[in-house]
Structure formats: C-alpha cells, structure tokens
Amino acid sequence: MKSFWSILLLCLCVGLPTYAEDTAKSKMPMSSVFEKNKSFEFVPPRPGTYKLPIIKVAQSGTVVDHNNKSLELGEILDGKISILSFVYLSCSDIDGCPLILSNFFELYHQSALLPALKNKVQLITISFDPERDTVDAINSFQHPISADPDRSKKINWTVLTTENKKSLKLILDGYSQAITRNQDTEVINHIIRIYLIDKTRKVRNIYGLGTLDPRLLITDVETLLLEENHKK
C-alpha cells in the first residue's frame, strides 16, 4: 500500500517533465512530449504508417463511479478513444498496478501539452477488487484528479468499481483479464494488461509489461486519430 500511495503522491506533487515545443506547429509526433524510458530502447514508428487490427469488440457491463452512480461501460466507451486498465488499489507490487498507474499519471499530465486529445481520448481504470475498492476508496483515489487545477486542459480519467464479483466477472471475462485470489493473503495475482479501444468500441491493441511505454501508447492513439480523419 505504501509504495502505491508513494507513486501517487510523487506524480501529483512533483509533476512530470514539460516541453515548450508545440507539436501541432512543429509537426512532431505526439510521442515527442514524453521522455524516453531507459527500459525501452526503441523509437516508436511514425504515426499513421501502420495499421492497428481490430482484435475484438470491447466488453460492456455495469460499473459504478466515484459518485456511486451505476453506468454501462459500453456507454462510457462510445465516441472516444479509450485507454483502459484493470487494477486494485492496495497492490504493492512495483511491477504491477503501481506501474500501470504511474503510466496513466504520465499520460494524464502530459496530455495538457496535447490539446488535440482533450475531447477525443480518455483514460479508464477499473478495479478488480470491489470488496476493498469501494465507492469511498475510488473517490479518495480520484479526488486529487478531480481537484487538479489544470484538469480542464487534460484528458478525462475515470476510475470505476463494480457492485459485486458477478458484475466484475462478466467484464474481466470479456477482456480475458485473468486474476487469481490467494485465500491466505490479500494479494490478487494478475497479468498486466492495458487496452486501446477505438471510439466504436473495438479493441485495437493490448499492452503488457514489455510494451508499457507511454510513447508507444500515444503513437497508437495518434494513428487511430489519423485513421478517423482519413474516413471523413
């Protein structure tokens, strides 16, 4: 728990690197606003020079937001490119949920430098631990995001839970997100997955530990935006 909240506070209080260059005017790819991660020694491909295949239709299901309002996940996904992840807030494995969330914080903060994303892209985090990640818990987590004075300049980030394990299982099965609960501990074993979903609710890419680089995610997002523009 300590390492999770440490990452949260670090991301919010210290902030992330900023870049003065306007990517729209310079025609630089959106990935240029993110620092190169030493763990990923590669240069992302040029946006729009490749195709992202349709993997499957994104699963819907009933979720609950931080205001205790029941929503349909499919309705949240409709109309925007979504970057979706599953976590549990008490995870302390630095290569698990905290790693996913640190990437989400980087995407969230740096999106202020990419105004073209504001109304077209969103972040969605769903807890797979509804017993502990209650409405109060996700409300506490989301509060710093909701209270961010620069929130209006950034993409929306929605944190969700479910009413029960039955509702959760339908969603997890639809995304093939496997989890294993250890009865002797509070640890939930899981595989890191982040899903890129287009505005018509089609899953277009799935990222794991070896591809969890914001530069790659945002390059794929930019590729989807270019694809949409070509269809107009």
Side-chain angles (χ1 to χ4, degrees):
M1 187 68 148
K2 182 178 179 181
S3 63
F4 165 75
W5 287 112
S6 297
I7 290 175
L8 170 60
L9 292 173
L10 179 63
C11 289
L12 288 173
C13 298
V14 177
L16 293 162
T18 59
Y19 296 75
E21 183 177 33
D22 184 334
T23 58
K25 293 180 180 179
S26 66
K27 297 184 179 180
M28 293 290 289
M30 292 182 178
S31 61
S32 64
V33 306
F34 296 89
E35 283 195 331
K36 184 177 180 180
N37 188 324
K38 294 180 180 179
S39 299
F40 299 98
E41 295 294 334
F42 67 89
V43 177
R46 191 80 183 175
T49 60
Y50 59 96
K51 297 290 186 181
L52 290 168
I54 295 174
I55 298 173
K56 59 182 175 181
V57 176
Q59 178 68 44
S60 186
T62 303
V63 291
V64 181
D65 70 7
H66 68 289
N67 292 316
N68 201 23
K69 182 179 180 181
S70 293
L71 304 164
E72 286 301 310
L73 179 57
E75 293 180 4
I76 299 172
L77 295 172
D78 280 340
K80 284 188 177 183
I81 295 172
S82 302
I83 302 173
L84 182 148
S85 67
F86 294 95
V87 304
Y88 72 108
L89 298 182
S90 58
C91 179
S92 59
D93 181 358
I94 60 172
D95 290 325
C97 304
L99 179 60
I100 292 176
L101 291 171
S102 67
N103 276 269
F104 267 47
F105 272 110
E106 187 170 1
L107 289 165
Y108 171 72
H109 284 299
Q110 294 300 90
S111 70
L113 300 173
L114 301 168
L117 300 183
K118 171 60 183 171
N119 297 314
K120 297 179 179 179
V121 181
Q122 63 182 337
L123 300 171
I124 299 174
T125 297
I126 303 176
S127 168
F128 51 71
D129 188 13
E131 293 179 339
R132 287 179 291 180
D133 292 341
T134 61
V135 170
D136 286 342
I138 65 169
N139 188 44
S140 295
F141 175 83
Q142 182 143 357
H143 176 71
I145 302 167
S146 302
D148 180 2
D150 294 322
R151 183 185 179 192
S152 63
K153 302 175 184 178
K154 302 172 183 178
I155 58 177
N156 192 50
W157 183 0
T158 303
V159 184
L160 304 162
T161 189
T162 53
E163 293 180 346
N164 50 56
K165 290 181 180 179
K166 183 178 179 181
S167 299
L168 174 64
K169 187 177 186 306
L170 173 68
I171 297 172
L172 292 181
D173 288 350
Y175 288 92
S176 302
Q177 174 69 70
I179 64 170
T180 304
R181 297 177 183 274
N182 190 328
Q183 299 300 321
D184 298 327
T185 70
E186 296 183 346
V187 173
I188 301 177
N189 298 314
H190 61 95
I191 298 174
I192 284 182
R193 289 286 184 270
I194 290 180
Y195 302 82
L196 177 65
I197 304 167
D198 67 24
K199 69 176 186 178
T200 63
R201 284 181 52 194
K202 305 296 192 306
V203 177
R204 304 296 293 272
N205 209 347
I206 303 173
Y207 311 90
L209 187 60
T211 53
L212 203 56
D213 184 343
R215 295 177 305 147
L216 178 57
L217 268 70
I218 213 67
T219 297
D220 285 351
V221 166
E222 190 171 0
T223 293
L224 290 184
L225 290 172
L226 290 170
E227 178 184 288
E228 292 176 9
N229 289 336
H230 290 325
K231 291 179 179 179
K232 293 179 180 179

